[in-house]
Amino acid sequence: MSTLRREPLAEQAAEVLLERIRGGEWEVGQKLPGETTLAPQLGVGRSTIREAIRQLAGSGVLATRQGAGVFVTALDVPEGLDEMLRRADIETVIEARIAIEVEASALAAERRTTADLHEMRRAADARDAQRASIEAHVDADTALHRSIVVAAHNEILTELFDGFAPRNRKAMIGMLQRRGEFGSDSDQLVHSRILDAIAEQDATAAAELTRAHLLDLKASVA
């Protein structure tokens, strides 16, 4: 059986289940094995299987019938829904970024050191220089946002950010590929204003600017 080795686990579990359905392991109308059977087969927890089933149910491949189980309703994701699912994943990623980065910006404004400010400014300059490649731009953007989280001097926030980074990278690259535009002067200015608020130790402004920036990103996905 296929096993999973990288994040995000629920998304990978959904892909593995879909591959097995496409391969004819289960036919339309057939009931899937229970969570206690599927979880060890894929090497994940039951909660991950539940989330994978939820994703496939949202795409029309599976249906959960109360008291009866989970049944196959289609052998593949209907054309057009792939894009919808990618968009939903990007929105989920941005919501998680809001939860982490808004608080981190406020704490960074309260706790940043001179060395922190230097690192944030250096990361901002590096981000500004990356306007040719989407992948390089996203990596530079991530480095800038990470420098802000590090300046919050909260190791748990940093661990959350680092653990979340691979999924964020994938989502942000996908978003910019869909948009076809990135690295504008106005976008760079938004980040400069966040750093200015942190430098001025204005925690309220830093948090509000970060929240507004991420909400604008989320709105652009719709």
Side-chain angles (χ1 to χ4, degrees), residues 105-181:
S105 290
L107 290 174
E110 296 172 354
R111 301 173 178 175
R112 92 294 184 278
T113 65
T114 300
D116 291 330
L117 284 175
H118 176 76
E119 178 58 25
M120 285 184 281
R121 297 295 188 190
R122 186 204 63 75
D125 289 342
R127 181 186 188 277
D128 191 30
Q130 293 293 348
R131 302 197 185 198
S133 161
I134 289 177
E135 289 80 2
H137 177 79
V138 168
D139 289 342
D141 178 73
T142 300
L144 171 57
H145 285 274
R146 187 183 190 279
S147 72
I148 295 172
V149 175
V150 169
H153 294 279
N154 181 307
E155 63 181 18
I156 294 178
L157 282 177
T158 302
E159 288 175 6
L160 287 171
F161 184 91
D162 288 345
F164 182 63
R167 185 166 187 176
N168 175 68
R169 185 178 192 273
K170 178 181 177 181
M172 292 302 105
I173 289 173
M175 182 190 73
L176 294 181
Q177 287 173 337
R178 290 176 64 249
R179 182 191 293 177
E181 181 274 330

Side-chain angles (χ1 to χ4, degrees), residues 40-110:
Q41 287 180 357
L42 274 64
V44 298
R46 293 173 63 184
S47 62
T48 299
I49 293 296
R50 284 194 292 272
E51 173 61 18
I53 289 171
R54 187 193 69 78
Q55 291 183 20
L56 291 176
S59 68
V61 173
L62 299 177
T64 301
R65 300 174 189 169
Q66 190 67 33
V70 179
F71 294 82
V72 177
T73 53
L75 298 179
D76 206 344
V77 176
E79 186 176 357
L81 280 177
D82 278 335
E83 177 64 20
M84 181 188 72
L85 292 173
R86 281 193 293 270
R87 185 166 61 248
D89 186 62
I90 294 169
E91 290 177 346
T92 300
V93 165
I94 294 173
E95 287 171 359
R97 288 188 60 183
I98 291 171
I100 296 170
E101 294 183 39
V102 171
E103 181 63 18
S105 290
L107 290 174
E110 296 172 354

Side-chain angles (χ1 to χ4, degrees), residues 12-31:
Q12 286 193 74
E15 291 173 356
V16 170
L17 290 176
L18 183 56
E19 287 173 5
R20 292 170 66 176
I21 292 169
R22 286 169 173 160
E25 186 167 343
W26 303 293
E27 298 180 354
V28 172
Q30 189 172 352
K31 181 179 176 180

